[in-house]
């Protein structure tokens, strides 16, 4: 009548009996069943059934309907107190806690701590942080324990001086990865980092480097794991590839405006062939001699969350400065042109794309942007996060305000976070094209 879900006691009892039989069967076919084996999702998993208590029944009586997401829904929007130049940490925490698949992982209590001292586990603290930010408490949260653990595990970030948000992101992902590595059973052979922890599942991509000998045209290929892509900007000491307006300038729906560089332009420069020159000859495996060569970077495997870092802080022998060049970036991004599989579409460094590739697996949606205001010596970090659908908010430490899409796209941009629109699911025996829309 009310279209709500109900729990049938008879069906729950049948499920409990079947689960018991499955556990007996598993125990009889194995000499030793470890706790980890029983905890792996699948056959015989020990999930406790929910037996409602009297206080819970009273709460259900007062709240008969589940909470719905509306335009005024604010659960998950909670400010973070600045603990002394810690805006670099707060903006990254806001981006991570609004990463959809990471949020689902922590809010469903999937982390099982294996550290001898759980109080020093950064993943446990992140799990607690997710609960705090999605508790519905409107008062700003004080992330003092997170800061303390970062100081312990990433000592180069210790102290109250201003730090780089990008450096903090990489350090945080590294510590989280080390604290929640998957066991031998969970390792995936196709993962470039050979780890099945939640951090690698979400953030790790495969960066392919092809070095081509100019003498024999032999190609040497290496694939390295990466958590982000750092992009050069026009105006830096590194020579920038001039983009000419043409047919390819409409990639990712970015209309070409003279004088304005786009994210696609930066990615095209990042993946163009680069001549290494006579001063950087390498020994060719085929020629067995030192030859000039060209190097080209492409994406061999795309991550679920793609993070792009604009190199705005330049440190050279002559000067230290911030590059404030405006870079246009889209709400939706297609990474197909920058895949290793699309390399044959490149001719003389120019991208040739079909008008409609139709490959939805490589399409991303923007969900967070980290910005830096000020100079290299004195500045402040803020972030824009997408709460749901087209609802955007600006996070400025303890203050969270509603923002428009125009505010987001007009911002300078330092770190961009994109989430895959379609997630791929692979089984051990056969790859099935079962997809879950994001």
């Amino acid at each position: 009548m009310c279209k709500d879900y109900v729990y049938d006691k008879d069906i729950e009892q049948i499920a409990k009996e079947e689960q018991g039989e499955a556990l007996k069967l598993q125990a009889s076919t194995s000499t030793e069943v470890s706790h980890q084996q029983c905890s792996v999702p699948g056959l015989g998993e020990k999930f406790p059934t929910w037996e409602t208590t009297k206080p819970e029944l009273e709460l259900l009586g007062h709240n008969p309907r589940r909470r719905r997401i509306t335009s005024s829904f604010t659960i998950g929007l909670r400010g973070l107190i600045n603990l002394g130049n810690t805006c670099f940490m707060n903006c990254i925490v806001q981006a991570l806690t609004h990463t959809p698949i990471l949020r689902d992982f922590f809010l469903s209590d999937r982390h099982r701590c294996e550290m001898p001292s759980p109080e020093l586990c950064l993943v446990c603290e992140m799990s607690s942080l997710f609960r705090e930010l999605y508790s519905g408490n409107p008062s700003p949260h004080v992330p003092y324990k997170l800061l303390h653990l970062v100081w312990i595990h990433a000592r180069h970030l210790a102290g109250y001086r201003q730090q780089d948000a990008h450096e903090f992101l990489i350090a945080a992902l590294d510590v989280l990865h080390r604290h929640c590595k998957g066991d031998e059973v969970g390792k995936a052979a196709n993962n470039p980092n050979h780890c099945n922890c939640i951090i690698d599942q979400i953030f790790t991509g495969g960066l392919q480097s092809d070095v081509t000998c100019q003498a024999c045209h032999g190609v040497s290929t290496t694939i390295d794991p990466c958590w982000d892509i750092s992009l050069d900007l026009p105006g830096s000491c590194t020579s920038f590839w001039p983009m000419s307006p043409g047919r390819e300038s409409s990639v990712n729906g970015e209309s070409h405006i003279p004088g304005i560089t786009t994210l696609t332009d930066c990615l095209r420069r990042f993946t163009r062939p680069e001549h290494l020159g006579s001063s950087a000859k390498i020994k060719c495996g085929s020629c067995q001699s030192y030859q000039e060569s060209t190097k080209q970077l492409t994406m061999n495997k795309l991550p679920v969350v793609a993070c792009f870092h604009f190199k705005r802080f330049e440190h050279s022998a002559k000067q230290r400065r911030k590059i404030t060049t405006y870079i246009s970036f889209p709400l939706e991004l297609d990474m197909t042109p920058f895949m290793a599989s699309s390399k044959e579409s490149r001719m003389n460094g120019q991208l040739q794309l079909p008008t409609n590739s139709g490959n939805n697996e490589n399409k991303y949606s923007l969900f967070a942007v980290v910005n830096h205001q000020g100079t290299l010596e004195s500045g402040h970090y803020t972030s824009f996060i997408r709460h749901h659908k087209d609802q955007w908010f600006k996070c400025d430490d303890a203050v969270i305000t509603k923002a428009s899409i125009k505010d987001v796209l007009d911002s300078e941009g330092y770190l961009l976070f994109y989430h895959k629109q379609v997630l791929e699911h692979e089984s051990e025996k056969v790859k099935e094209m079962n997809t879950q829309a994001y």
Side-chain angles (χ1 to χ4, degrees):
M1 291 294 292
C2 67
K3 307 297 182 185
D4 204 350
Y5 289 97
V6 295
Y7 293 89
D8 186 278
K9 288 188 176 181
D10 293 336
I11 294 179
E12 288 290 319
Q13 183 59 35
I14 293 171
K16 188 184 295 185
E17 292 172 358
E18 291 294 326
Q19 189 179 56
E21 291 297 322
L23 284 170
K24 290 179 183 178
L25 177 64
Q26 191 179 44
S28 64
T29 56
S30 176
T31 56
E32 182 181 355
V33 180
S34 65
H35 170 72
Q36 288 84 356
Q37 286 175 313
C38 292
S39 300
V40 173
L43 179 65
E45 185 169 2
K46 292 182 178 178
F47 281 128
T49 55
W50 177 33
E51 301 291 343
T52 52
T53 62
K54 187 175 180 180
E56 288 174 337
L57 286 172
E58 292 176 356
L59 284 173
L60 289 172
H62 291 299
N63 302 276
R65 304 296 297 172
R66 293 187 305 280
R67 185 175 284 149
R68 296 181 181 274
I69 295 179
T70 63
S71 58
S72 59
F73 188 80
T74 58
I75 302 300
L77 295 176
R78 190 173 182 185
L80 297 168
I81 295 294
N82 192 314
L83 301 174
N85 288 328
T86 57
C87 56
F88 69 93
M89 178 182 75
N90 290 346
C91 66
I92 297 300
V93 168
Q94 292 289 1
L96 292 179
T97 53
H98 286 87
T99 302
I101 196 168
L102 191 65
R103 174 198 63 204
D104 294 345
F105 173 84
F106 280 111
L107 293 184
S108 58
D109 293 328
R110 300 303 295 171
H111 170 56
R112 299 181 181 91
C113 187
E114 297 180 359
M115 289 188 64
S117 303
E119 67 275 5
L120 296 179
C121 177
L122 188 63
V123 188
C124 289
E125 176 55 26
M126 282 297 293
S127 183
S128 174
L129 194 62
F130 270 86
R131 290 195 299 270
E132 286 290 344
L133 265 63
Y134 285 89
S135 66
N137 188 339
S139 63
H141 178 64
V142 186
Y144 67 93
K145 189 173 181 182
L146 175 67
L147 181 64
H148 177 62
L149 288 178
V150 169
W151 286 1
I152 292 176
H153 298 296
R155 295 190 179 277
H156 63 289
L157 296 176
Y160 287 102
R161 62 186 181 278
Q162 181 64 274
Q163 302 288 352
D164 179 30
H166 174 247
E167 188 177 3
F168 175 82
L169 169 67
I170 299 303
L173 291 179
D174 178 60
V175 177
L176 288 169
H177 159 71
R178 286 190 277 116
H179 286 191
C180 67
K181 282 185 178 179
D183 56 20
E184 292 294 327
V185 179
K187 286 185 178 179
N190 64 336
N191 190 310
N193 213 26
H194 300 290
C195 176
N196 201 37
C197 75
I198 188 62
I199 299 302
D200 278 298
Q201 287 187 53
I202 296 175
F203 294 97
T204 299
L207 186 63
Q208 179 169 320
S209 174
D210 294 318
V211 178
T212 305
C213 174
Q214 293 297 285
C216 69
H217 302 290
V219 180
S220 173
T221 299
T222 57
I223 300 174
D224 296 309
C226 64
W227 280 330
D228 70 324
I229 296 177
S230 293
L231 301 170
D232 290 316
L233 300 180
S236 66
C237 291
T238 306
S239 59
F240 193 78
W241 187 23
M243 300 297 169
S244 58
R247 184 167 69 91
E248 64 272 15
S249 64
S250 61
V251 175
N252 290 314
E254 296 172 337
S255 57
H256 182 86
I257 301 175
I260 293 183
T261 305
T262 67
L263 172 61
T264 301
D265 291 337
C266 295
L267 285 169
R268 286 164 59 191
R269 185 196 185 282
F270 180 78
T271 56
R272 68 166 183 170
E274 177 187 1
H275 185 66
L276 297 181
S278 58
S279 60
K281 289 183 179 181
I282 62 169
K283 188 173 183 180
C284 176
S286 300
C287 301
Q288 292 299 316
S289 60
Y290 288 90
Q291 301 288 346
E292 291 190 21
S293 58
T294 59
K295 178 180 178 180
Q296 184 174 10
L297 298 174
T298 51
M299 294 303 298
N300 176 270
K301 180 179 182 295
L302 291 174
V304 174
V305 170
C307 175
F308 301 104
H309 162 235
F310 291 136
K311 297 180 181 178
R312 295 200 174 275
F313 303 128
E314 189 171 68
H315 304 269
S316 63
K318 295 182 178 180
Q319 59 181 343
R320 296 171 66 251
R321 64 186 181 116
K322 178 185 175 183
I323 301 172
T324 58
T325 306
Y326 172 70
I327 304 295
S328 172
F329 50 90
L331 286 173
E332 295 189 346
L333 176 69
D334 187 357
M335 287 293 289
T336 303
F338 314 109
M339 296 288 293
S341 56
S342 301
K343 186 178 177 181
E344 60 271 15
S345 298
R346 297 180 178 275
M347 299 172 61
N348 300 321
Q350 295 297 316
L351 185 61
Q352 304 294 330
L353 281 179
T355 54
N356 183 15
S357 62
N359 192 347
N360 292 323
E361 294 177 12
N362 301 331
K363 291 185 178 179
Y364 287 79
S365 294
L366 183 71
F367 72 92
V369 178
V370 171
N371 287 294
H372 178 272
Q373 292 86 36
T375 63
L376 191 66
E377 291 75 22
S378 176
H380 180 61
Y381 287 101
T382 60
S383 58
F384 287 107
I385 54 96
R386 189 182 70 180
H387 190 43
H388 58 89
K389 293 185 179 179
D390 292 328
Q391 298 289 325
W392 285 85
F393 290 85
K394 181 179 181 180
C395 302
D396 187 351
D397 288 333
V399 180
I400 296 183
T401 54
K402 193 171 179 58
S404 67
I405 294 178
K406 186 177 185 301
D407 294 332
V408 178
L409 298 181
D410 287 348
S411 64
E412 188 178 84
Y414 180 51
L415 298 173
L416 308 179
F417 293 84
Y418 284 85
H419 197 290
K420 258 192 176 183
Q421 293 180 355
V422 175
L423 301 183
E424 297 179 9
H425 298 275
E426 295 182 350
S427 64
E428 293 182 2
K429 295 182 179 180
V430 62
K431 179 177 179 180
E432 299 176 353
M433 296 308 294
N434 295 332
T435 57
Q436 172 185 335
Y438 160 63

